[in-house]
Amino acid sequence: MSNYRRHYVPGGTWFFTVNLQNRQSDLLTRHIDSLRAATAAVKRAKPFTINAWVILPEHMHCIWTLPEGDSDFSARWRDIKKTFSRNIDMRHIWQPRFWEHTVRNEEDYRRHVDYIYINPVKHGYVSKVSDWPFSTFHRDVREELYPVDWAGEIEDFAAGERK
């Protein structure tokens, strides 16, 4: 049995990867409204900041920052998964765990946001980041944090293959 430990930092910022069990599924994008509703409900009950998020058909990547003094991202993921599953009336759809990385500094943060936004291109779903509808990239374009034609450099994300 593994001795898996999470890195909890009150008020911290984390990068997450969350997968469905069936990596050929399209549940997350097919039921995007249910996923959004589940996330909104959990966010109301247990606030957190969504720094960046991309939802692909069978997995998602995001960065969250929790409120000062709060480090319980695990409960939030448990509740999002449970609420989404209930909303679509399906069980046993998620991989049991999720992958998290504590964001260490501004460079680490920027690298992970870029990784999130380039992910639909990397997986071949679209040829331009701006063409993927299920991403906070569009919010960041409106806020002038990214240009609409931003493409990133796929070579820069070779280290992200493990994510």
Side-chain angles (χ1 to χ4, degrees), residues 84-91:
F84 176 74
S85 297
R86 192 178 315 119
N87 286 352
I88 66 169
D89 197 26
M90 293 182 77
R91 297 175 52 154

Side-chain angles (χ1 to χ4, degrees), residues 102-118:
T102 307
V103 176
R104 298 179 302 271
N105 55 42
E106 191 61 37
E107 180 185 341
D108 191 32
Y109 176 84
R110 179 60 43 214
R111 242 185 35 258
H112 282 85
V113 173
D114 288 351
Y115 178 83
I116 287 169
Y117 290 157
I118 202 73

